[in-house]
């Protein structure tokens, strides 16, 4: 739990410096009325469970005291973002049981990729809710919210966002890790390098699409060090020389860094293209790698 707290502090620090440098007149405070999130298991607050499996313990046991469909026992970064903004935890778009969307919705589903994959949930755990699908869902959500808000009774309205709040919401993207995992499965460096510009481009197009819906503030996470994940390290024999000083697979982390390099360039370019947007590129890789490198000082027991 302590680790996650440290992470959020690092993340907030990045945000202040990046937003500060934009100098946008209309972005004086972080007074967001809602959060809309797009992503994979890193920020799935129960969408995957709503679609595919019945949430069970132990995840959720320690913090929530019940199964909440997260791939984590505690809170996710998106949960800390909601807390920090004084908003409730985000409801998954696909979850209709006792759900309020007053302060936003979460479209993230574990296993999701930016690009639609020619794979499947049963074959490799790849979610069919790739980013393009999540953007369609957001479009439906926005249109129907307007309709039901205008037509609905007070009870309906209470659980829907105010239509005018869409442009005042924070739009968070945390996706790409599973595109890299898909590339790694194919074991072809040439193909992977050739695919990265297209992966980044499809993420940029999703951001542009949401911008055209009137969204203005974007918070874009880069991808973490995939070569440090237990799942990367557990299932095959690894030679000592493949590992870096902190026990992570060097070659796999190079894939993440390549994606991040191109993503950062693309976000800088988007800042010139989307004139009325504030775009923050968040270095999640650095934050997570720092935690792993200093695990002993960060409460690892
Ligand atoms: C999936 O297959 C289609 C058709 O062959 C191709 O255009 C697309 O690029 C493939 N997607 C990926 C992620 O490889
Ligand atoms: C990797 O992909 C490239 C281009 O698609 C192909 O020419 C090459 O033969 C592949 N390499 C391997 C080891 O499969």
């Amino acid at each position: 739990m302590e680790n996650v707290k440290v992470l959020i502090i690092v993340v907030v620090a990045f945000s202040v410096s990046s937003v500060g440098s934009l100098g946008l007149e209309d972005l004086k405070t972080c007074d967001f009325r809602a959060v809309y999130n797009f992503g994979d298991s890193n920020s799935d607050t129960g969408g995957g469970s709503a679609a595919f499996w019945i949430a069970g313990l132990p995840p959720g046991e320690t913090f929530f005291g019940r199964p909440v469909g997260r791939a984590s026992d505690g809170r996710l970064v998106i949960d800390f973002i909601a807390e920090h903004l004084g908003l409730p935890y985000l409801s998954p778009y696909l979850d209709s049981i006792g759900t309020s969307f007053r302060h936003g919705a979460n479209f993230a589903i574990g296993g999701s990729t930016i690009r639609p994959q020619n794979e499947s949930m049963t074959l490799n755990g790849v979610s069919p809710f790739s980013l393009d699908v999540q953007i369609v869902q957001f479009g439906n959500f926005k249109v129907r919210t307007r309709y039901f808000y205008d037509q609905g009774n007070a009870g309906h309205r209470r659980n829907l966002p105010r239509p005018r709040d869409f442009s005042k919401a924070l739009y968070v993207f945390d996706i790409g890790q599973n595109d890299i995992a898909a590339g790694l499965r194919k074991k072809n460096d040439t193909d992977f390098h050739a695919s990265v510009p297209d992966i980044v481009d499809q993420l940029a197009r999703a951001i542009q699409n949401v911008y055209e819906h009137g969204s203005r503030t974007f918070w874009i996470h880069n991808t973490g060090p995939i070569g440090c994940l237990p799942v990367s390290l557990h299932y095959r024999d690894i030679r000592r020389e493949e590992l870096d000083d902190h026990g992570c697979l060097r070659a796999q982390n190079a894939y993440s860094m390549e994606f991040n390099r191109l993503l950062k360039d693309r976000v800088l370019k988007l800042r010139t293209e989307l004139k009325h947007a504030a775009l923050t590129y968040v270095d999640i890789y650095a934050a997570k790698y720092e935690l792993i490198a200093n695990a002993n000082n960060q409460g690892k027991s």
Side-chain angles (χ1 to χ4, degrees):
M1 205 60 72
E2 278 308 307
N3 288 4
V4 182
K5 278 188 198 145
V6 173
L7 178 60
I8 200 72
I9 290 163
V10 175
V11 168
V12 170
F14 278 111
S15 80
V16 171
S17 59
S18 313
V19 173
S21 68
L22 284 172
L24 286 183
E25 281 303 300
D26 49 354
L27 196 71
K28 294 201 177 85
T29 64
C30 289
D31 182 21
F32 299 111
R33 314 280 164 82
V35 177
Y36 293 94
N37 180 71
F38 305 87
D40 55 28
S41 59
N42 287 297
S43 60
D44 179 346
T45 55
S49 163
F52 299 117
W53 43 278
I54 294 173
L57 296 172
E61 203 164 37
T62 303
F63 181 78
F64 295 95
R66 65 189 177 89
V68 283
R70 286 161 175 74
S72 164
D73 190 28
R75 285 159 287 180
L76 305 171
V77 172
I78 191 70
D79 294 319
F80 286 95
I81 290 174
E83 280 184 10
H84 185 79
L85 296 174
L87 300 175
Y89 299 124
L90 286 192
S91 297
Y93 168 74
L94 293 180
D95 194 355
S96 52
I97 310 294
T99 302
S100 170
F101 297 112
R102 184 63 161 180
H103 298 286
N106 190 358
F107 299 90
I109 305 271
S112 294
T113 49
I114 294 170
R115 298 201 302 176
Q117 299 294 315
N118 298 313
E119 296 180 309
S120 74
M121 191 61 121
T122 41
L123 197 61
N124 344 71
V126 170
S127 148
F129 297 97
S130 44
L131 185 56
D132 55 330
V133 177
Q134 295 182 24
I135 298 298
V136 168
Q137 292 179 326
F138 170 71
N140 274 323
F141 180 85
K142 188 165 175 261
V143 168
R144 291 183 190 178
T145 291
R146 159 65 69 187
Y147 176 80
F148 285 113
Y149 196 85
D150 290 347
Q151 305 292 319
N153 57 31
H156 276 137
R157 286 188 179 197
R158 215 174 10 252
N159 290 329
L160 292 174
R162 295 178 195 85
R164 66 175 183 278
D165 286 349
F166 278 102
S167 61
K168 295 174 189 151
L170 180 68
Y171 291 81
V172 182
F173 291 78
D174 187 334
I175 190 160
Q177 182 175 295
N178 294 314
D179 294 84
I180 294 169
L184 289 169
R185 272 198 295 280
K186 290 177 188 129
K187 296 186 170 46
N188 185 325
D189 265 5
T190 318
D191 276 354
F192 176 78
H193 295 308
S195 72
V196 181
D198 185 47
I199 299 172
V200 169
D201 207 50
Q202 295 204 22
L203 175 50
R205 262 185 272 154
I207 292 167
Q208 267 161 336
N209 190 320
V210 174
Y211 175 82
E212 279 154 24
H213 276 285
S215 313
R216 291 296 175 258
T217 316
F218 298 89
W219 182 262
I220 303 151
H221 289 186
N222 71 5
T223 200
I226 195 168
C228 303
L229 294 180
V231 70
S232 305
L233 295 159
H234 185 69
Y235 292 106
R236 66 179 181 87
D237 293 329
I238 289 165
R239 284 171 286 117
R240 183 70 197 90
E241 58 272 25
E242 292 179 82
L243 300 175
D244 67 13
D245 293 344
H246 304 294
C248 302
L249 281 165
R250 214 180 268 121
Q252 293 202 0
N253 281 351
Y255 279 71
S256 303
M257 285 190 273
E258 180 174 345
F259 169 81
N260 289 344
R261 207 163 34 243
L262 266 66
L263 177 62
K264 186 174 182 183
D265 287 350
R266 195 67 187 84
V267 171
L268 292 177
K269 195 155 162 251
L270 280 172
R271 283 183 182 171
T272 63
E273 292 166 358
L274 310 180
K275 300 275 182 239
H276 305 289
L279 296 125
T280 304
Y281 170 85
V282 184
D283 195 353
I284 286 287
Y285 185 105
K288 286 186 176 170
Y289 196 75
E290 165 80 15
L291 285 176
I292 292 159
N294 295 303
N296 289 331
N297 309 330
Q298 305 283 4
K300 178 188 168 211
S301 52

